Amino acid sequence: MNGIIGMTELTLDSDLNRSQRESLLLVHSLARSLLLIIDDILDISKSMCHRDLQALNSLTHTRLVEAGRMTMEQVSFSLRQTVFGILKTLVVRASQNNLDLTYDVDPDIPDQLIGDSLRLRQVITNLVGNAIKFTPSKVSKKGNVALSCRLLALDDSSVTLEFCVLDTGIGIAKDKLNLIFDTFAQADGSTTRVRPFSVISVRILLTPRKEYGGTGLGLSISKRLVALMTGSMWVESEVGKGSKFFFTITSQIGQLSIDATLAKMAPFGNRNILFVDTVYDQTGVVDRIQELGLRPYVIHDPLEVADKATCPHIDTIVVDSLSVVCLTS
């Protein structure tokens, strides 16, 4: 993995077109996330006695924390960029399952936070990945997976956020809601959606699952990672109607100077931003786009760009209403 990451970074330093660069940045991000998981697995392996496989239940992230082997990074990161990057890696799976994958973030949430973005990525990837896996698209109605983030508390130095991953999938029986967070509790296609089992041999851990697959470790690990981020995780669900997985985190607020922001935007200079302004914005959106070194292309009706022959190449679309998205989709 270190070799993959290193060669990717070398390639990123070479001359690439925009599509190639974005694809390699995505590969680089996924490789770093996978390396983190591999390191955790190796730490577990070092602690595990081969003659006592039944002790595996206790050799999860909690033991690693107690042993001082897991630390939570405290680095500055962009919340919206991090979450959007996660969803970009999952959109293909959602599309293959004929599902809508959406994301909504409270505009009052500060974007620059200080915390462990890789651990946050691990939790969100697991929850959204599970939601996609357990949401079959129906003939009569397209399935939906939605990630939302809302503000719970905010002061001068810290913020508390609540994430929710909603799906229209198979749901979970009420008497099984607490069991799904147990180590090796496996969600499958039955009405209970949970199939816990005992560890008998390594072969069991490597045996492919039934319809949905998985090892039953994801939710257990995610809940403990959330606890390390001073948060909690819970679920609401109804069989046949879908599930809502919630978790909270508390993070310090980071600061990003204007110069640093402009430096981050420099590689994207002069890109065309389509601003669908149906309410004749008075808040200065166009000014902000220009300050970032981008070129705004303002329209007041989506029909103005119906003819692709007269519409310039657009890199990003900004809309002022979800009804515009519904109209143009």
Side-chain angles (χ1 to χ4, degrees):
M1 287 307 304
N2 284 320
I4 293 174
I5 292 172
M7 292 304 298
T8 302
E9 291 173 346
L10 285 175
T11 309
L12 284 169
D13 289 336
S14 63
D15 293 331
L16 301 170
N17 62 38
R18 183 172 55 199
S19 177
Q20 291 170 334
R21 184 169 299 278
E22 289 179 352
S23 296
L24 276 179
L25 285 171
L26 191 58
V27 170
H28 184 265
S29 176
L30 290 171
R32 287 189 62 203
S33 298
L34 182 57
L35 182 61
L36 182 70
I37 296 173
I38 291 173
D39 286 341
D40 289 342
I41 294 173
L42 291 176
D43 282 337
I44 293 176
S45 300
K46 291 175 184 176
S47 303
M48 186 175 68
C49 174
H50 295 286
R51 294 173 299 175
D52 190 10
L53 292 177
Q54 291 183 348
L56 189 57
N57 274 354
S58 63
L59 292 173
T60 57
H61 281 55
T62 296
R63 279 296 175 86
L64 295 178
V65 174
E66 291 172 353
R69 292 178 181 156
M70 178 184 291
T71 58
M72 302 298 288
E73 291 187 348
Q74 296 297 315
V75 297
S76 181
F77 69 96
S78 165
L79 174 67
R80 290 166 179 81
Q81 182 179 353
T82 297
V83 176
F84 185 67
I86 297 168
L87 297 186
K88 282 179 66 177
T89 68
L90 296 168
V91 69
V92 173
R93 286 177 55 192
S95 178
Q96 289 172 341
N97 289 2
N98 194 30
L99 304 176
D100 286 329
L101 179 60
T102 60
Y103 170 48
D104 181 40
V105 59
D106 190 330
D108 294 328
I109 297 175
D111 184 62
Q112 207 66 26
L113 304 179
I114 297 175
D116 196 326
S117 62
L118 289 177
R119 300 296 183 187
L120 179 62
R121 176 188 294 272
Q122 190 174 345
V123 173
I124 295 177
T125 299
N126 182 263
L127 293 181
V128 177
N130 277 351
I132 293 173
K133 180 167 61 173
F134 291 107
T135 305
S137 189
K138 302 174 183 177
V139 176
S140 59
K141 185 178 180 182
K142 195 173 184 179
N144 180 55
V145 173
L147 171 64
S148 62
C149 180
R150 71 185 185 97
L151 181 66
L152 293 185
L154 175 67
D155 58 34
D156 293 338
S157 60
S158 65
V159 61
T160 300
L161 308 177
E162 179 187 87
F163 292 83
C164 175
V165 177
L166 176 149
D167 67 62
T168 57
I170 60 178
I172 310 168
K174 290 185 178 180
D175 61 334
K176 303 297 182 182
L177 290 180
N178 291 327
L179 294 179
I180 62 172
F181 294 109
D182 292 344
T183 307
F184 300 121
Q186 169 63 28
D188 61 13
S190 66
T191 55
T192 64
R193 195 180 173 180
V194 172
R195 182 165 64 95
F197 66 90
S198 299
V199 180
I200 299 177
S201 70
V202 175
R203 175 182 290 271
I204 293 180
L205 296 177
L206 301 178
T207 300
R209 297 292 180 152
K210 290 185 178 180
E211 181 180 359
Y212 294 103
T215 62
L217 281 169
L219 288 177
S220 175
I221 291 173
S222 294
K223 186 170 184 178
R224 296 175 189 194
L225 287 175
V226 167
L228 289 174
M229 292 183 278
T230 323
S232 58
M233 180 179 289
W234 68 98
V235 59
E236 298 174 1
S237 185
E238 187 174 346
V239 173
K241 293 188 176 181
S243 305
K244 293 181 180 179
F245 280 85
F246 299 88
F247 73 92
T248 61
I249 65 169
T250 297
S251 177
Q252 298 298 306
I253 299 175
Q255 299 294 332
L256 191 65
S257 67
I258 296 298
D259 291 340
T261 301
L262 294 177
K264 288 181 65 175
M265 292 300 300
F268 310 102
N270 294 322
R271 294 199 179 183
N272 294 321
I273 309 300
L274 176 64
F275 178 29
V276 185
D277 180 16
T278 61
V279 296
Y280 294 85
D281 175 69
Q282 300 296 319
T283 63
V285 172
V286 172
D287 293 336
R288 302 291 87 76
I289 293 174
Q290 291 175 332
E291 289 172 1
L292 292 173
L294 306 170
R295 293 186 295 193
Y297 184 79
V298 183
I299 63 172
H300 302 291
D301 188 328
L303 294 178
E304 294 179 39
V305 290
D307 185 2
K308 293 184 178 179
T310 60
C311 178
H313 174 77
I314 299 299
D315 297 287
T316 301
I317 301 175
V318 178
V319 300
D320 56 12
S321 171
L322 287 177
S323 61
V324 175
V325 179
C326 296
L327 179 63
T328 57
S329 61

